[in-house]
Amino acid sequence: MSGLLEVTGLRVRFRALGTVKALLRGVESPFVEAVAGVDLALAEGETLALVGESGSGKTTLARALIGLLPVEAGSVRFRSRELIGQSSSAWKAVRREMAMMFQDPVGSLSPRLTVRALVTEPYRIHGLRGRETERECARLLGLVGLPPDFGERYPHQLSGGQARRVGVARALALDPRLILADEPTAGLDVSVQGEILNLLARLQDQLGLSILIITHNLNVVRHVADRTAIMYLGRIVEQGETERVFAHPRHPYTEALLSANPQADPAARHRRIELKGEVPSLLRRPSGCEFHPRCPHARPLCATAAPAATTEGRGRFTCHFPLAGPSLPSGG
Amino acid sequence: MTAAPDLLSIRDLSLSFRTPRGRLQALRRVNLEVPRGRIVGVVGESGCGKSTLIASILRLLPPNAEVTGGAIRFEGRDLLELSPRAMRELRGRRIAMVFQDPMTALNPVLSIGRQMIDVQYREGRSRREKRERAVEMLARVGIPDPAQRLEAYPHQFSGGMRQRIAIAMALMMEPDLLIADEPTTALDATLEVQIIGLLQALQRDFGCSILFVTHHLGVVAELCEEVVVMYAGEVVERGPVEAVFRNPAHPYTARLLACDPGRIVERSRNLPTIPGEIPDLVSPPPGCVFRPRCPEAFARCELEAPAEHAVGSGQSARCHLAEGEGR
């Protein structure tokens, strides 16, 4: 597997306060760092899940990757080409190879366009006039398992799952290498959720796509992602192979998130790890390890010194006192 | 049958909406009981009639709705026959509600202190007593510095804190029945845990019954003692959570549980689904509503709508296959 996407030290910040207000309130910096130094890599044909709670910066990260938000620092290399700082015409070419599926399946489709116009819109935007609209529309709808006569429909005539499929068809129109799927199953019923995930898996096998799935739903991740990255306050606190992360979380936040995932099994009414408080404001990041005010295992060191990242196999985590890992094979 | 009567008992409730396309049969022959001091979960996917059910209990239905049969008994009185005035007396005081989105449930232009004092308008207390009661309730649901926070506005609280405030307001009058409509759906996983824990603790302290409506099977397993499964306007199965989740008697319940990715132990790239769609309730299919999607359907299912059959202690299912299983 060769690298498709490589992100290093990516930072995105937003101005939160005016200069005067910041001075009056005694806030050191009027900016919030929504993405605060993220390193990620995605190989060809691989699925990476980015998991975090609201405000952890997952969507901001995705939007920065596809050039919808200005980047403060860091590098994004896609197929060995640096994306940060390139011209907008160069971005246009990149967006043919990198497609985004936005949150909210119905809201991301224009209510005034038919499904046919929606799925072939990418051709118009990218000036691919030679394509035969009717045939292309039928091909794309076929790929996502919708009958060709759906081309006549308007978004309000679609169910949530069908609207999601149209979103996938749009993303596939330009034969991308990478799909950024922002909460692809949010708002869908469990019986439909599986359909969309199966569709993404099938398309991946068929077309060799790479997928970056952004979600807060850990149950979904377990089945579809090869690797999982957990975000907290704009940083990745742990990443690794999905099976390992689920079986042996090393970061206490990962462990708490996993335990917060209610199981539909009354026998498993479990020992939940209830985290204290809520995600802190990005304007006032805690000192030391940023998770320490909520961490059930925090010790004095955690409040003063920020932990460095520890690399372990293909995984990495940022914690002074990590939880027990898998027992290493002899010689490990 | 000497047990205390149920706090809420819904019998054969049918309700339809008049639409330009014809009558939409949103609820059909719904049976449901909420015993005193119990937490009952209502689960179902979108369009199954959960919200219509709540609206009919509170009698907050749109004008095109029409109850075509059945009764909703609260402490033995049929709510459908109460005068609007008597109904207003119950709402908020005896039956309270927590909504999905705490931002829209709270008034954005009034401080939360003002709103919490206002909801006590029927109490013969002084303003100071009402204020003290508000502080006490805020402290009870875990709002830090409640006395200082009374002056704050809803936007100054986080989503989790706003939901705590909404719960505090609902429980202020110590209602007998709390209806919670997807109260954790808009919250993150770690906050969902906190709110579920809070509801459990409050239910123990106040002794109220809770009717908890959700689409999340995991939350039901965690919080509820009894569960009611709805599909396309009907209660297809109900009973104790342990029994229903372990031995679902209705094929829909079984499929729904199978679809929950949290229950699938083996990692799979081919997740189970329920093929097909919810039927159009303007012209529901003849016989059983689930038949067009049911893998176990046979000839009788198309001819005859199944009755509710008991399948075990307290568990029952509307399915021909469950007939005779209780004996």
Side-chain angles (χ1 to χ4, degrees):
Chain A
M1 280 203 278
S2 56
L4 178 74
L5 181 75
E6 228 172 291
V7 181
T8 32
L10 191 72
R11 288 175 186 276
V12 179
R13 64 182 200 176
F14 298 109
R15 180 175 269 279
L17 295 172
T19 329
V20 178
K21 235 182 186 175
L23 265 174
L24 288 176
R25 292 208 196 157
V27 180
E28 275 169 43
S29 157
F31 295 97
V32 292
E33 287 220 293
V35 175
V38 161
D39 298 336
L40 271 184
L42 185 60
E44 295 266 6
E46 191 181 41
T47 305
L48 171 68
L50 202 55
V51 185
E53 296 184 275
S54 13
S56 60
K58 352 179 250 302
T59 298
T60 306
L61 174 58
R63 295 180 77 99
L65 291 183
I66 201 164
L68 294 176
L69 284 174
V71 165
E72 182 63 25
S75 127
V76 177
R77 294 178 77 79
F78 180 67
R79 307 184 99 175
S80 315
R81 203 165 83 213
E82 178 61 51
L83 301 186
I84 303 304
Q86 62 175 356
S87 68
S88 55
S89 57
W91 264 118
K92 196 168 167 184
V94 170
R95 289 195 195 113
R96 290 174 58 168
E97 298 177 55
M98 220 195 234
M100 178 115 177
M101 278 169 63
F102 292 93
Q103 270 182 51
D104 186 358
V106 181
S108 59
L109 303 176
S110 166
R112 289 160 188 271
L113 296 181
T114 59
V115 167
R116 179 192 299 107
L118 285 165
V119 296
T120 54
E121 194 178 23
Y123 300 135
R124 287 199 299 282
I125 291 171
H126 288 273
L128 304 172
R129 296 203 169 272
R131 304 244 191 172
E132 221 254 278
T133 320
E134 195 59 40
R135 249 208 6 249
E136 273 305 302
C137 174
R139 180 184 73 90
L140 289 169
L141 291 180
L143 267 180
V144 298
L146 290 175
D149 58 303
F150 263 65
E152 307 303 321
R153 296 206 185 185
Y154 285 91
H156 73 269
Q157 295 168 311
L158 304 173
S159 70
Q162 290 164 348
R164 229 339 146 209
R165 285 172 188 265
V166 173
V168 178
R170 251 162 89 87
L172 291 174
L174 299 166
D175 303 318
R177 302 308 308 148
L178 170 65
I179 289 191
L180 308 175
D182 195 354
E183 299 278 9
T185 62
L188 296 180
D189 285 317
V190 272
S191 65
V192 184
Q193 192 173 294
E195 282 180 25
I196 298 298
L197 295 173
N198 293 345
L199 173 68
L200 285 176
R202 200 193 76 218
L203 291 170
Q204 181 166 47
D205 296 341
Q206 211 172 320
L207 310 170
L209 297 169
S210 302
I211 305 178
L212 179 70
I213 289 192
I214 295 167
T215 182
H216 64 276
N217 187 338
L218 279 164
N219 282 329
V220 163
V221 165
R222 213 176 97 231
H223 295 288
V224 298
D226 302 306
R227 287 190 306 122
T228 299
I230 313 279
M231 273 187 99
Y232 189 73
L233 288 182
R235 301 185 211 274
I236 289 175
V237 294
E238 173 158 12
Q239 60 176 308
E241 265 137 45
T242 305
E243 314 237 335
R244 197 277 298 160
V245 170
F246 274 72
H248 303 282
R250 305 299 309 272
H251 197 287
Y253 180 62
T254 313
E255 186 194 34
L257 263 190
L258 289 171
S259 92
N261 204 9
Q263 302 284 304
D265 181 359
R269 267 185 215 198
H270 44 284
R271 337 127 292 266
R272 288 278 193 77
I273 299 165
E274 199 174 311
L275 291 180
K276 294 166 279 182
E278 298 189 17
V279 180
S281 158
L282 288 173
L283 270 174
R284 289 187 185 74
R285 286 177 176 274
S287 62
C289 169
E290 292 174 344
F291 184 58
H292 87 265
R294 302 179 76 198
C295 183
H297 308 288
R299 301 189 209 173
L301 173 67
C302 303
T304 53
T310 312
T311 305
E312 195 178 70
R314 284 196 71 203
R316 194 160 38 175
F317 53 87
T318 317
C319 179
H320 286 304
F321 307 105
L323 305 162
S327 43
L328 295 173
S330 52
Chain B
M1 294 296 279
T2 49
D6 294 312
L7 179 68
L8 180 77
S9 156
I10 299 179
R11 286 275 126 220
D12 275 321
L13 182 70
S14 295
L15 182 148
S16 52
F17 292 109
R18 286 185 300 275
T19 71
R21 291 167 48 235
R23 300 179 80 81
L24 190 144
Q25 304 172 37
L27 295 178
R28 290 185 313 284
R29 301 173 301 155
V30 167
N31 288 330
L32 155 80
E33 267 100 47
V34 182
R36 275 192 190 277
R38 299 278 249 168
I39 308 184
V40 177
V42 177
V43 267
E45 300 185 282
S46 20
C48 73
K50 308 183 292 267
S51 305
T52 306
L53 181 66
I54 297 174
S56 59
I57 297 171
L58 288 166
R59 294 245 318 261
L60 294 173
L61 291 161
N64 67 335
E66 190 184 335
V67 175
T68 52
I72 303 175
R73 293 192 193 284
F74 180 72
E75 295 182 316
R77 282 197 294 174
D78 189 352
L79 295 184
L80 296 172
E81 281 163 13
L82 289 188
S83 66
R85 190 192 165 86
M87 198 62 219
R88 268 205 307 276
E89 281 297 305
L90 285 182
R91 280 192 214 114
R93 200 178 229 175
R94 311 288 314 282
I95 306 177
M97 171 106 191
V98 175
F99 294 90
Q100 176 172 342
D101 180 355
M103 193 63 214
T104 47
L106 298 170
N107 187 331
V109 300
L110 298 179
S111 70
I112 60 146
R114 167 80 191 277
Q115 296 185 57
M116 294 193 73
I117 289 166
D118 282 355
V119 295
Q120 304 177 61
Y121 70 102
R122 286 178 286 216
E123 305 304 298
R125 296 174 185 149
S126 72
R127 207 176 161 77
R128 226 188 83 215
E129 284 167 335
K130 287 180 182 172
R131 203 185 149 82
E132 277 165 14
R133 175 84 183 129
V135 172
E136 187 189 309
M137 279 311 297
L138 286 180
R140 184 64 199 79
V141 297
I143 305 280
D145 308 322
Q148 282 76 55
R149 301 292 274 166
L150 277 187
E151 305 314 318
Y153 289 84
H155 75 269
Q156 292 168 307
F157 293 88
S158 65
M161 286 294 160
R162 283 199 287 260
Q163 198 57 290
R164 285 169 189 267
I165 294 165
I167 292 170
M169 285 177 75
L171 291 177
M172 188 118 80
M173 295 291 119
E174 307 199 1
D176 299 274
L177 176 64
L178 177 70
I179 300 177
D181 184 9
E182 306 255 9
T184 60
T185 303
L187 301 178
D188 281 316
T190 56
L191 295 181
E192 185 173 58
V193 180
Q194 292 178 358
I195 296 292
I196 289 173
L198 177 68
L199 281 172
Q200 271 168 334
L202 291 170
Q203 195 272 337
R204 273 196 300 273
D205 295 358
F206 288 80
C208 58
S209 303
I210 301 181
L211 186 65
F212 192 95
V213 179
T214 181
H215 66 276
H216 197 325
L217 296 162
V219 174
V220 173
E222 192 78 21
L223 177 71
C224 303
E225 293 147 295
E226 290 179 40
V227 61
V228 172
V229 183
M230 291 189 73
Y231 175 75
E234 289 184 13
V235 169
V236 293
E237 180 160 5
R238 60 199 181 110
V241 168
E242 317 253 323
V244 172
F245 278 36
R246 201 149 305 149
N247 291 311
H250 196 285
Y252 175 66
T253 316
R255 293 297 169 291
L256 192 64
L257 286 167
C259 283
D260 184 5
R263 282 201 139 205
I264 304 160
V265 184
E266 286 288 301
R267 189 171 173 217
S268 163
R269 274 171 83 81
N270 193 11
L271 297 164
T273 60
I274 306 179
E277 280 175 55
I278 289 192
D280 181 1
L281 295 182
V282 171
S283 49
C288 169
V289 260
F290 188 56
R291 189 208 31 97
R293 300 173 77 182
C294 183
E296 289 162 57
F298 55 105
R300 188 177 166 196
C301 301
E302 198 171 352
L303 301 172
E304 187 190 334
E308 201 173 2
H309 298 292
V311 286
S313 71
Q315 187 183 357
S316 62
R318 251 187 216 288
C319 177
H320 290 309
L321 292 170
E323 189 173 6
E325 276 198 19
R327 270 137 284 232

